[in-house]
Amino acid sequence: MVWLPLLVPFLAGPAGRRLVSCLPPRQAAWLLAVTAAGLAAGSTAALTLLVVPGATHLPAVAALGRLLTPLSTGSPDAVVAVAVAALAVLLLCAALFVRGLHRRWTQLGRAKRLAARADGELLVLADEFPDAYALPGRPGRIVVTAGMLRALSAAEREALFAHERAHLRGRHHLFTAVTELSALCHPALGALREPLAYALERCADEAAAHAVGDRRLTAQAIGRAALAARGAARRPDLALAATAGPVPRRVAALLAPAPRRPAPCRTRAWRSQQPC
């Protein structure tokens, strides 16, 4: 049972890719982020439990815990070896986690300084390379280059801005931060990055389609922006962009019929309609 939390994360990647195809984007994003955090906590706890039996073989630890015998029935050499290995992995994960937190904090500081250059929600860069992305922060900004503004029509620009606005309102950068930090606790959880990124982009796609009231226009704007932004993007690490991820798959989802909402239920007790 102690080894199980260390093995389950290897199934997270295939399960996550299947999950984003079966659930609505918003539910899939929440479930993936919570799953990543839970599996990371479970693997950390399992490593800690592997350290404890070996540590009780040390006289100082045994005396501190008032233990008459070590907490293990296996070979002392094997138990101590496993404990040492688990402790080394724990220390490595802790160092990587702290380093990852510091890196995210530094990136947020850079994003804040860049966002301070904007007077309002939109920050236009005098760059010929077509690009647009959501820059998280307090407050977040939508960054767009002059090249992207020229590549899209007015209606397409509005759909693109609605997409990036959905990233900011949904605070999607926190979902990616949870997954990135969880992957530092267990490398297998890195496989959740791709399905989570797709789920977040689909969330923003649907929000943009709802905001502009035209799914075909939203699909056209995303597809044209992705074609215009081909090449190496020069955007901050924390940026979330409509041109990221499997754009053809997302465009196909937007061109498909809109997901149906649950039909209202009628009861004799209530005159109002309640969703099923």
Side-chain angles (χ1 to χ4, degrees), residues 3 49-58 70-87:
W3 292 98
L49 290 177
L50 289 175
V51 172
V52 173
T56 59
H57 284 272
L58 299 176
L71 296 178
S72 177
T73 57
S75 170
D77 293 338
V79 171
V80 171
V82 171
V84 170
L87 180 60

Side-chain angles (χ1 to χ4, degrees), residues 129-132 144 147-149 151-153 156-157 159-161 164 217-231 235 241-244 247 250-251:
F129 180 80
D131 198 10
V144 61
M148 181 62 79
L149 291 177
L152 303 179
S153 65
E156 291 169 345
R157 289 197 295 268
L160 183 65
F161 294 159
E164 307 302 350
L217 172 63
T218 305
Q220 179 178 328
I222 293 173
R224 184 166 294 181
L227 289 175
R230 286 182 299 179
R235 62 176 69 108
T243 57
V247 174
R250 291 166 47 207
V251 169

Side-chain angles (χ1 to χ4, degrees), residues 31-273:
L31 187 56
L32 288 173
V34 171
T35 300
L39 291 177
S43 63
T44 303
L47 288 173
T48 304
L49 290 177
L50 289 175
V51 172
V52 173
T56 59
H57 284 272
L58 299 176
V61 176
L64 182 64
R66 297 179 181 179
L67 300 175
L68 298 179
T69 58
L71 296 178
S72 177
T73 57
S75 170
D77 293 338
V79 171
V80 171
V82 171
V84 170
L87 180 60
V89 174
L90 268 178
L91 293 177
L92 176 62
C93 291
L96 292 175
F97 190 85
V98 172
R99 181 182 177 184
L101 277 178
H102 181 266
R103 183 172 63 251
R104 300 287 299 191
W105 185 262
T106 303
Q107 292 171 351
L108 281 174
R110 293 174 182 173
K112 184 178 180 179
R113 289 191 293 270
L114 179 59
R117 297 164 50 185
D119 295 331
E121 179 190 41
L122 192 64
L123 174 61
V124 180
L125 301 180
D127 192 342
E128 295 302 319
F129 180 80
D131 198 10
Y133 51 86
L135 191 65
R138 293 186 177 181
R141 304 296 185 192
I142 299 174
V143 182
V144 61
T145 64
M148 181 62 79
L149 291 177
R150 284 192 290 269
L152 303 179
S153 65
E156 291 169 345
R157 289 197 295 268
E158 184 59 33
L160 183 65
F161 294 159
H163 176 101
E164 307 302 350
R165 193 175 295 116
H167 279 315
L168 296 177
R169 289 179 177 176
R171 304 186 68 81
H172 290 169
H173 67 286
L174 297 180
F175 290 80
T176 60
V178 169
T179 307
E180 291 290 341
L181 294 175
S182 298
L184 298 178
C185 298
H186 197 298
L189 297 177
L192 291 178
R193 295 190 186 102
E194 182 180 347
L196 177 64
Y198 174 75
L200 293 177
E201 292 302 327
R202 285 287 297 122
C203 284
D205 290 344
E206 293 296 333
H210 178 75
V212 302
D214 192 335
R215 297 178 65 83
R216 183 170 293 276
L217 172 63
T218 305
Q220 179 178 328
I222 293 173
R224 184 166 294 181
L227 289 175
R230 286 182 299 179
R234 299 182 291 273
R235 62 176 69 108
D237 295 332
L238 294 182
L240 295 165
T243 57
V247 174
R249 184 181 175 188
R250 291 166 47 207
V251 169
L254 282 171
L255 294 178
R260 294 183 178 181
R261 295 183 178 181
C265 297
R266 297 179 181 270
T267 62
R268 295 180 180 179
W270 294 349
R271 292 184 180 180
S272 60
Q273 293 182 346

